[in-house]
Every structure is written in C-alpha cells, then in structure tokens.
C-alpha cells in the first residue's frame, strides 16, 4: 500500500524532473560547446523547459556549468575506454590516449573555456578525476616497464599531462596553435616529458 | 590662472585617491597572499580606507583581485630583472629564472589561487605578459644557440613554462608536492621539455 501510494504522484514528478535535468545537461553541453558565453535562458529554451524549472535544478550559472562539465567529462571518459591503454607499449598507448583525449577535448573545447571562466582550476581538475586515473595507470605502467622516467613523482607527471592538454586547448582556441599542429605538439611535448633522462 | 584654479582642489583629491589606491593594492596583496578568501571589508580596513572608498575604485571583488594581481606581478617582474638571463648559457639561465620565479610565486601563491577563483586563465596569463616576455627571450636565445629544441613552436614552449609553473604552485598549495621538492621538479621538468630531442 505504502509502496503503491508512493508511486503516485511523486515518482511521476521525479521522472519528469530527471527527464528535465537530462534535457538541460544535454542542451547545456551542446550550446556551451559552441559558445562559452551561452546564457541560461538559451539553454532552458533549447532543453524545452522554463527558466523557473532550470533555476529550480541549477540555482546559478556556475552550478549549471559545473553540472554540464560533469556530464560532458562522463561521456568523454566512456570514449577513452579502450583496452589498448593497458596492453600496448606505454609510449604507444600514451600517443593513442593523447589523440583520443584531444579529439574529445576539441569537441568540447569551448565548454572548458566556459568552465574556466566560472570554476577554479582545482574544481575542473576534480571533474577529471576519472579520466586522469586512466592517465595515472598508464604512466605508472610505463614507469614499471622502464619506458617512462621515475625521477619525477607519478602524481606530478599526471598533473603535467592535465596542464599540457588544457593549455593546448586554450592555445588552439586563442588561435596561437594551428588545429593541424596540436596533435604533434601534444605528443612530442608529453613524450619528451615522460622519457627517462638520457 | 586656469592652471592655478585647476590645482585646487582637484589635484589634492586626486593625490588622495592615488594614495588610497596604492594602500588598497598593497593591503590586498598582503591579505590575499595569506588567505585567498580574504574579504573586501578586511582589505579596506587593512588599507585604512572605508568600504565606500574601496568600492568607488573597485566596484567588485573581481576587479579588486584583478588589480591586486596586476600590482603583484609588476613587483615580481622587477625582481626577475637580472642581466644573467641574457648572458649565462640558456639552460643555466633557465634554472636561475625558475628558482627566482618560484620564490616570487611561492610568496604570492595564495593570491594566484584567489585570482584563479575569479578570473579566467586567459586573463591571468595576460597579467603575466611582461614576465613571460623574459621567458620568451631566453627560450628564443636557447633555440638560436642550439641549447633548446626547435621542433616545437617558441610560443608553445612559453605556454608550457607558464602552465608548468602555475601547476607546481597549485600542487604545492594542495599539499601534493613537498615544498623542498618543488624546485628540483620544476627545473627537471622544464629542462626535459626544452632539451633538443636525442
């Protein structure tokens, strides 16, 4: 009885709320990836919900951008799922990971700029914890196999990876790095940084 | 006559305003370097001015932090003034520059965190244009002398320098990098990144 009573109308409202949230996050990802300055009203419109509904779920632009970033990184992380990261020689796997990360990041580049404008770098880094764990696992394997240097701490090498990829996205957006140059620059930079000292 | 009339009382007021601005920027640098969350009211108090006066010059916390960062980077840039940057062999000059930059940055580390919370990375980078020009000059000289790599664009190497030093400051603040480790990690990372490929 209690169970049945609980199914109406709360679950229906909850299902509506979930549908609205998903629609808002998808619209937010789409719009902010085109224009980092996209407004909350435009995102509500594209999601097919009212501004009041949007604000009920995300009381500030900052909270909305934070949630959209989380959504986008979650999708991106799924794309990075590739078993060769654990099987190919570490330098080769790193090259592959950089290419894939870059493609995903390039698609959402403007969203990261939007995030960078309202969220501290530390918070943006937290959102990347899952994909960064893949990077960490790969660098640790390269260190064990003797392919990557061990004279610098693992955590620092992961941080450098994040900083370098993040900078490349900003340089590309600012027009200081040619789109066709980015992949080579990223791979060359990271492999120089990871190689054992001569 | 006009000249004499113009001297009173406007210049007196202007001199007052300039004194207040300098007091606010100095207090802001001091307080935000201790606590990135320092409030506008505390900064006004430490500067010996009223909140209304502070808001008249800096209408928002963001504008205040922006001006404080500009002030701090200007002072830091003066510290970096050292002719050995143009005379010592480039790798040695880079090591010296990293040590000095790091000392200055470490002193103002929390101020950069405050800035990172309210300003986009692009804006923070703009404030560093002057010190980054020193870095650029040094890397360019190293490239000409054959000490530094030429297979990556100069502008990208300067960006990587900024990203790496910035990341080290954040890692240090987050307790992920030991204070006594930072200098070695920075120098090792940058020289690996700048060395010509084997």
């Amino acid at each position: 009885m209690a169970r049945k009573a609980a199914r109406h109308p709360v679950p229906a409202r909850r299902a509506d709320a979930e549908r609205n949230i998903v629609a808002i996050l998808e619209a937010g990802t789409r719009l902010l990836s085109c224009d980092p300055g996209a407004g909350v009203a435009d995102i509500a419109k594209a999601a097919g919900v009212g501004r009041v509904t949007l604000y009920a779920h995300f009381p500030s632009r900052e909270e909305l951008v934070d949630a959209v970033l989380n959504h986008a990184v979650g999708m991106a992380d799924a794309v990075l799922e590739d078993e060769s990261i654990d099987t190919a020689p570490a330098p080769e796997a790193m090259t592959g990971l950089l290419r894939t990360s870059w493609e995903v990041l390039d698609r959402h580049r403007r969203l990261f700029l939007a995030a960078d404008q309202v969220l501290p770098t530390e918070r943006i880094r937290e959102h990347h914890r899952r994909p960064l764990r893949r990077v960490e696992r790969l660098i640790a394997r390269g260190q064990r196999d003797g392919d990557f240097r061990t004279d610098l701490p693992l955590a620092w090498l992961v941080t450098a990876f994040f900083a370098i990829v993040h900078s490349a996205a900003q340089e590309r957006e600012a027009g200081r790095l040619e789109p066709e140059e980015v992949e080579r620059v990223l791979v060359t930079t990271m492999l120089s940084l990871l190689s054992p000292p001569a």
Side-chain angles (χ1 to χ4, degrees), chain A residues 7 13 18 66 76 78 85 87 109 114 135 139 193 198:
Chain A
R7 289 177 75 183
R13 275 216 297 266
E18 279 166 15
D66 194 73
I85 197 178
T87 53
R109 190 161 34 100
V135 175
I139 297 178
L193 217 145

Side-chain angles (χ1 to χ4, degrees), chain A residues 72-173:
Chain A
V73 172
M75 290 195 308
D77 190 50
V79 175
L80 294 183
E81 187 76 61
D82 176 354
E83 63 172 27
S84 73
I85 197 178
D86 289 319
T87 53
E92 201 180 294
M94 175 54 71
T95 303
L97 182 67
L98 278 168
R99 290 211 169 115
T100 320
S101 309
W102 175 252
E103 268 173 38
V104 173
L105 181 57
D106 195 40
R107 211 176 309 143
H108 294 307
R109 190 161 34 100
R110 294 205 168 88
L111 167 58
F112 287 94
L113 293 179
D116 188 53
Q117 276 161 22
V118 294
L119 304 175
T121 307
E122 188 67 25
R123 178 84 190 127
I124 296 178
R125 194 190 145 110
E126 272 167 37
H127 278 301
H128 288 80
R129 200 172 291 160
R130 259 181 310 160
L132 282 178
R133 261 208 294 267
R134 291 181 199 276
V135 175
E136 184 172 7
R137 213 170 61 212
L138 171 56
I139 297 178
R141 182 164 68 85
Q143 288 185 319
R144 279 195 308 274
D145 296 350
D147 287 320
F148 293 157
R149 70 195 312 154
T150 52
D151 62 332
L152 289 175
L154 175 59
W156 168 251
L157 294 173
V158 175
T159 294
F161 176 97
F162 179 74
I164 292 294
V165 174
H166 196 76
S167 297
Q170 288 178 322
E171 293 298 284
R172 156 84 175 84
E173 181 65 22

